[in-house]
Amino acid sequence: MNVLKGKSVGGMYLFPLVLIFLLVGLSILHTTPGQESSVTNQIVASLSYISALFILLRNQWGFFSFALKRATPLLIMLFLALASIMWTDFPRQLLTGFVHKLGAVFVTICAVCLLINDKEAFFRILLKIFLLYFIATILFSFVKPDMAEMPATLYGEYRAGLRGFTLHPNTLGAICVDGVWVAMCYQYLTGAKTKAEKLMVYIMLTSIIYCLVKADSMTSILVSLALGFIVFWLKFIQSGNSSVKALKIMSALFFLLISISVLIVVKPNIFSIDYFFKAIGRNSTFTGRTELWELAMKGFGEKPVFGWGEDNLFTFLKFYHQPFSQLHNGYFDLLVRGGVVSILLFLTMLFQIAKSLLRMLKANEQNYIIILSFVSVWLVHNVTEASIFKSPNVLWLFFMLIYFYSITWAYYRNDAGIASNKTA
């Protein structure tokens, strides 16, 4: 069986994998509305998808088929997305979105091949790509501040901030979340690193902090902090025997309890609802989001089973005469687009991930941190933003990566009954 390991990782497979991630990254870079669907971006994205599919069919057919057989909920979602062309008013937008969703599957399965066989190489590649991106974003903000900043003429004064090569600061914030995950996983979940590689991690995290502060995306800031803490904490309690782990957990809980007690005495208003919303830069309506969620429930009531179709809410917005582009909640967004059926299929995917996490813990496999750290914060991020089953979207792309990793991580293990690292 031909797998990505040994010399092949550093040789013939390394370039196409880097090319795929670069092309996908380039395909989501745009600074003007409509550029995402431009001919150039579509060609670049198509090349990345075709490259990934070619690698899978030519060199990884066994792994490819293994992954698809276990991704039944996702495949059904893709089928329903295409089938919804029968009740959408915007078939072109639906077909474009379907191609991106399908392409994300090819790219992430191809990338998982490398993640399973050489975790260090996988995160090293992503670290270099993201580092270049954030450095370029910062330079762009100094050279072309009028383009790198949120244009008030298009979006008004209410939402200023650095957007870099994206259309909105929240999009840059989402990319920062991915970057934090890559940097933290490389720092704490891979082997020995050179001084240059450690320096790259520190530079990247510093660049991410700069971008997050300048973008002023509160959701992304909180989620990034939580993600970094989760990776550090899980790695921290991973070391030592069960008694040492229990002591670390008890010490942390004791410190948390003491801290909360001191805050209650010194500043009791910090636990009020008003203070909470003020601290996260929101109000009790989540800056008008609750109005969108009420509209979402109204639309769901109109088409509860299969939803309005996977056309980026175009039909839904046309029906209700609304100008916005998303419902600022991934769960409401998916509920409107795909109805109860899509929600149940998505929950099935989460159940598959949870099942894999339990198997990893049972096998004392520390790579469960890779999965748990990203999925937990991504689910929280979707409370105020929408990135579930949406492509091209960097957060959905990385969730797809996690999903396929979780359902295929045992492919090269003896207990999978398929193959093992020794016989591959």
Side-chain angles (χ1 to χ4, degrees):
M1 179 173 56
N2 192 0
V3 296
L4 296 174
K5 60 183 296 186
K7 295 181 179 179
S8 59
V9 171
M12 63 177 296
Y13 289 107
L14 184 58
F15 175 74
L17 282 172
V18 173
L19 177 65
I20 288 167
F21 275 111
L22 283 175
L23 290 178
V24 172
L26 288 173
S27 70
I28 62 174
L29 299 181
H30 47 279
T31 55
T32 58
Q35 187 175 341
E36 179 180 298
S37 58
S38 67
V39 175
T40 301
N41 277 41
Q42 296 303 320
I43 291 176
V44 170
S46 298
L47 286 175
S48 66
Y49 303 151
I50 293 172
S51 299
L53 181 59
F54 175 78
I55 292 175
L56 291 171
L57 293 177
R58 187 174 184 273
N59 302 104
Q60 294 295 323
W61 170 248
F63 181 80
F64 187 35
S65 59
F66 182 86
L68 292 180
K69 288 176 182 177
R70 282 150 183 79
T72 302
L74 176 61
L75 296 182
I76 296 176
M77 289 181 71
L78 287 170
F79 171 77
L80 292 176
L82 184 59
S84 65
I85 196 172
M86 294 185 292
W87 56 84
T88 179
D89 294 338
F90 299 89
R92 181 178 177 181
Q93 280 76 12
L94 185 145
L95 289 174
T96 300
F98 175 78
V99 170
H100 286 305
K101 291 181 178 72
L102 186 62
V105 171
F106 299 150
V107 169
T108 50
I109 294 178
C110 188
V112 167
C113 293
L114 181 60
L115 175 57
I116 289 178
N117 285 275
D118 196 332
K119 181 174 60 178
E120 284 78 8
F122 173 83
F123 282 110
R124 190 182 303 113
I125 291 171
L126 283 184
L127 182 72
K128 293 177 180 178
I129 292 174
F130 272 91
L131 179 59
L132 290 174
Y133 177 84
F134 289 119
I135 290 176
T137 297
I138 294 174
L139 292 177
F140 183 51
S141 68
F142 286 106
V143 176
K144 290 286 186 178
D146 55 325
M147 295 179 64
E149 296 290 331
M150 190 73 159
T153 54
L154 290 177
Y155 299 95
E157 298 290 347
Y158 73 95
R159 186 61 177 95
L162 177 66
R163 65 185 183 118
F165 298 104
T166 72
L167 284 179
H168 198 280
N170 287 345
T171 306
L172 178 60
I175 297 174
C176 289
V177 173
D178 290 332
V180 170
W181 179 74
V182 170
M184 294 299 291
C185 286
Y186 186 69
Q187 175 69 21
Y188 291 103
L189 302 179
T190 59
K193 289 167 282 293
T194 64
K195 292 183 179 179
E197 290 171 341
K198 292 180 180 179
L199 181 62
M200 286 173 58
V201 173
Y202 300 144
I203 293 175
M204 180 164 156
L205 289 174
T206 303
S207 302
I208 290 174
I209 293 173
Y210 175 88
C211 290
L212 283 172
V213 172
K214 289 295 183 180
D216 194 26
S217 177
M218 186 56 62
T219 302
S220 297
I221 291 174
L222 295 176
V223 165
S224 297
L225 289 173
L227 196 158
F229 174 78
I230 289 172
V231 174
F232 173 79
W233 173 249
L234 293 179
K235 179 61 178 178
F236 176 68
I237 65 173
Q238 185 74 23
S239 58
N241 54 40
S242 57
S243 299
V244 174
K245 292 179 183 178
L247 180 61
K248 290 178 179 179
I249 294 174
M250 292 299 294
S251 300
L253 291 175
F254 178 76
F255 175 78
L256 180 63
L257 180 62
I258 293 297
S259 300
I260 293 175
S261 301
V262 172
L263 286 174
I264 290 176
V265 174
V266 177
K267 198 170 185 180
N269 66 319
I270 198 174
F271 296 98
S272 66
I273 296 297
D274 292 336
Y275 190 92
F276 168 76
F277 284 113
K278 181 180 179 180
I280 64 174
R282 308 290 186 192
N283 54 35
S284 58
T285 66
F286 282 93
T287 321
R289 283 168 167 80
T290 53
E291 297 178 5
L292 297 180
W293 301 344
E294 291 176 1
L295 180 62
M297 293 305 298
K298 184 178 179 180
F300 166 69
E302 291 285 338
K303 298 184 179 182
V305 181
F306 294 107
W308 291 76
E310 288 293 337
D311 58 3
N312 292 325
L313 298 176
F314 274 78
T315 302
F316 171 76
L317 298 176
K318 175 186 175 183
F319 184 84
Y320 285 103
H321 306 287
Q322 296 293 330
F324 51 84
S325 60
Q326 63 157 304
L327 294 170
H328 282 284
N329 182 289
Y331 311 104
F332 285 127
D333 202 277
L334 182 62
L335 190 64
V336 170
R337 288 183 287 121
V340 173
V341 174
S342 290
I343 287 291
L344 292 177
L345 290 169
F346 176 66
L347 290 176
T348 304
M349 293 173 64
L350 293 180
F351 175 77
Q352 289 179 291
I353 294 175
K355 185 177 179 181
S356 294
L357 282 173
L358 292 176
R359 292 183 63 192
M360 284 186 172
L361 288 170
K362 186 177 180 180
N364 198 26
E365 173 65 70
Q366 77 163 2
N367 286 338
Y368 80 94
I369 301 175
I370 294 175
I371 299 174
L372 183 60
S373 60
F374 184 86
V375 173
S376 58
V377 299
W378 178 73
L379 292 174
V380 174
H381 190 272
N382 270 281
V383 172
T384 57
E385 302 296 337
S387 60
I388 300 175
F389 200 49
K390 302 187 76 170
S391 291
N393 185 290
V394 290
L395 288 176
W396 176 251
L397 185 71
F398 274 74
F399 174 76
M400 282 284 89
L401 178 75
I402 294 298
Y403 174 67
F404 281 111
Y405 177 64
S406 65
I407 64 176
T408 60
W409 71 278
Y411 180 75
Y412 297 113
R413 294 175 62 88
N414 289 319
D415 58 1
I418 305 294
S420 68
N421 284 328
K422 294 181 179 180
T423 60

